[in-house]
Amino acid sequence: MRTRYRLLILALIAVLAWLLPYGLSSYTIHVANVILIFSVLAVGLGLCMGIGGQVNLAQVAFFGVGAYATAILTTKAGLGFWLGAVLAVLATMVVGLIVGTPALRVQSHYLGIVTLGLALAFTNWVTNAQIAGGAEGISGIAVPTIPGIDLTSEYLYYYLELVVFAVMLVFGLFIVRTGLGRRMRATRDDALAAGALGADVPVLRMTAFLLASIYGGVAGVLYAGLIQYVSPESFSISTMFLLLAMVIIGGRQSLVGCVAGAIGLSVVREVLSDHPTIAQLAYGGVVVLVVVFAPSGLAGLPMRWQAALARRRGHTVSAARMRPFTPYEGEASAGSSTTILRVDGISKEFRGLRALDDVSLSVTAGEIRGVVGPNGSGKTTLFNVVSGLYRPSRGRIEFRGRDMTARAPYRLARAGLARTFQNLRLFGDLTVRENVMVALDRTGTLSSWRYVIRPLSVWRRDRTRRAEADAILERYGLTEFAELQPRALPYGIQRRVEIARAVAAGPALLLLDEPAAGLNGEEVRQLSEIVRSIRDSGITVVIIEHNMGLVMSLCEQITVLAGGRIIAEGTPAEVVATPAVIEAYLGDSMNDDMPPIPEVTR
Ligand code: ADP
Ligand code: MG
């Protein structure tokens, strides 16, 4: 019903857009043409910043490269418009990859400064370079030709732009709603957790810039064809801020919101065109208001209203109860004697503090291994080193027979390692189902060309993944929360979502970091049932836990850490009888009334 409603609105908008030129003066149609170009730019910026989480203040430079490349290629090199256009977009993509490289090292506002610097460098270059016509710009750009259609008429040019815009928007929405966009959004929300689930974070960041540059390049080509003249002031920093305002006001996480922002601000700019100072102040003011009162922009308002309404009516999820977990019913996999994980002489130092000191242990496939020890004894650090988040100062890690020391987390994840985090790391702006779908997704981002060549197969694969995610949610009793964002859920349910997500990654070895922390008695009982069942399905489990009862009942082997060293290892009975363990635990309990050491965990 809702989709039918949406389709109806969409069809209505399409018809209106198609009929629009009939009522417009030659000046107004020009404005409409410019608005469409800005809409394409805004969608590109939305993909990079809102979806990919990469601050990009170089979008206007991409726009400029597209326009200038078209200008230079069609005037100085004498190419036809379409060939020039294709080469111009390719050139912009190269620039996009160059501008994106700093994102591999820096993020957030640092990235903003770097990209802004690159954009300024571009403006500087075009105002001075001979080939770009200096401050004069380049005129006499070729007009695009389509047999039988005179594109010098701005009325007909509008239709060319409309089609290109529609294709670009649909393509963008397609990305957002399928695997690539989901991985980008997950990386935006929590790059660390996304990497630990197998998302190739560096490639995804570059992809965000690549997408922005494609949209910027196409917009530049359209602009060159429309105005047939380019000059530096069209690609100034003030245009960049206008574009940024469009995306922030519209709502950067929603591509439709970006378009709404582009249309809205363009109209305001037109109305206030005689008062540029007032216009600047107006955008600035509105941006501030939006950032303070509606951080998700106009597009985010409906959801905020819904949430507020639900709160007022007293609908809260905290009353919701998890349905029980359905245990694994296949034949319990027989334990084997192969070593799945071998940690060999690992040390990890943090500026003089030795968090791990010559730790060696090996985990046999099919076992449940407990890791216990007082706070600050290095348990989480051990997991961080094993899962590739930290590079060990010394030592070697072998996973499934291969040397995996200091490999990128996503490589370890793809080799079959999954983990949960002591302080939950769910993707906050994704739904519970999407959280699981990210883990199910093993697509390398480099194969994203399939989006262009084989969109249908991409779509079908995504449907399958969705069904798989639903099956997992069903098994974990989480079906009723599938559409909700994790932060709306009670703590115990979030913990379970994180376990379900880690299992969805299909690991051979699962690392659980204090999964019982914050759970009530019944939830702890269910947890131990879940962990056993996970092992029965053939996954080896290493579990860090404070709850000694749980560890004693679950684990075949226990490793005890204290002060970064292994002080005991063996069966539960052996370990509790070890004097060093008794001492360490007595020491710990004597310190119980001291303020807890703040834990630095990742
Ligand atoms: P556990 O999980 O056993 O409670 P951790 O592995 O979290 O202990 O921490 C072990 C020690 O290493 C602590 O003293 C902690 O402060 C320190 N540590 C952990 N991570 C970092 C970090 N990223 N930077 C500096 N010190 C850290
Ligand atoms: Mg810890």
mmCIF file of all heavy atoms in Angstrom, residues 380 422 513-514 599 601, ligand 2:
data_model
loop_
_atom_site.group_PDB
_atom_site.id
_atom_site.type_symbol
_atom_site.label_atom_id
_atom_site.label_comp_id
_atom_site.label_asym_id
_atom_site.label_seq_id
_atom_site.Cartn_x
_atom_site.Cartn_y
_atom_site.Cartn_z
ATOM 1 N N THR A 380 41.014 -7.238 26.475
ATOM 2 C CA THR A 380 40.510 -6.575 25.271
ATOM 3 C C THR A 380 41.651 -6.270 24.310
ATOM 4 O O THR A 380 41.504 -6.417 23.087
ATOM 5 C CB THR A 380 39.755 -5.283 25.658
ATOM 6 O OG1 THR A 380 38.655 -5.638 26.486
ATOM 7 C CG2 THR A 380 39.254 -4.557 24.432
ATOM 8 N N GLN A 422 33.438 -4.868 23.627
ATOM 9 C CA GLN A 422 33.060 -4.708 25.022
ATOM 10 C C GLN A 422 32.032 -3.578 25.180
ATOM 11 O O GLN A 422 31.037 -3.734 25.859
ATOM 12 C CB GLN A 422 34.314 -4.404 25.841
ATOM 13 C CG GLN A 422 34.031 -4.272 27.310
ATOM 14 C CD GLN A 422 35.331 -4.215 28.110
ATOM 15 O OE1 GLN A 422 36.426 -4.395 27.578
ATOM 16 N NE2 GLN A 422 35.212 -3.963 29.383
ATOM 17 N N ASP A 513 33.678 -10.251 23.512
ATOM 18 C CA ASP A 513 34.291 -9.462 24.573
ATOM 19 C C ASP A 513 33.242 -9.065 25.608
ATOM 20 O O ASP A 513 32.438 -8.176 25.366
ATOM 21 C CB ASP A 513 34.979 -8.226 23.987
ATOM 22 C CG ASP A 513 35.934 -7.573 24.980
ATOM 23 O OD1 ASP A 513 35.876 -7.930 26.175
ATOM 24 O OD2 ASP A 513 36.728 -6.716 24.560
ATOM 25 N N GLU A 514 33.244 -9.726 26.735
ATOM 26 C CA GLU A 514 32.303 -9.509 27.842
ATOM 27 C C GLU A 514 30.846 -9.420 27.379
ATOM 28 O O GLU A 514 30.174 -8.426 27.612
ATOM 29 C CB GLU A 514 32.693 -8.242 28.606
ATOM 30 C CG GLU A 514 34.086 -8.371 29.196
ATOM 31 C CD GLU A 514 34.324 -7.458 30.392
ATOM 32 O OE1 GLU A 514 33.332 -7.016 30.989
ATOM 33 O OE2 GLU A 514 35.489 -7.233 30.726
ATOM 34 N N GLU A 599 38.444 2.399 31.571
ATOM 35 C CA GLU A 599 38.957 1.446 30.598
ATOM 36 C C GLU A 599 39.021 2.073 29.226
ATOM 37 O O GLU A 599 38.081 2.693 28.770
ATOM 38 C CB GLU A 599 38.043 0.225 30.547
ATOM 39 C CG GLU A 599 38.309 -0.689 31.712
ATOM 40 C CD GLU A 599 37.713 -2.049 31.444
ATOM 41 O OE1 GLU A 599 38.107 -2.676 30.459
ATOM 42 O OE2 GLU A 599 36.852 -2.444 32.226
ATOM 43 N N THR A 601 38.873 1.126 25.775
ATOM 44 C CA THR A 601 38.590 -0.048 24.964
ATOM 45 C C THR A 601 38.155 0.401 23.601
ATOM 46 O O THR A 601 37.625 1.487 23.427
ATOM 47 C CB THR A 601 37.475 -0.883 25.585
ATOM 48 O OG1 THR A 601 36.527 0.006 26.122
ATOM 49 C CG2 THR A 601 38.000 -1.812 26.631
HETATM 50 MG MG MG B 2 38.161 -5.304 28.348
#
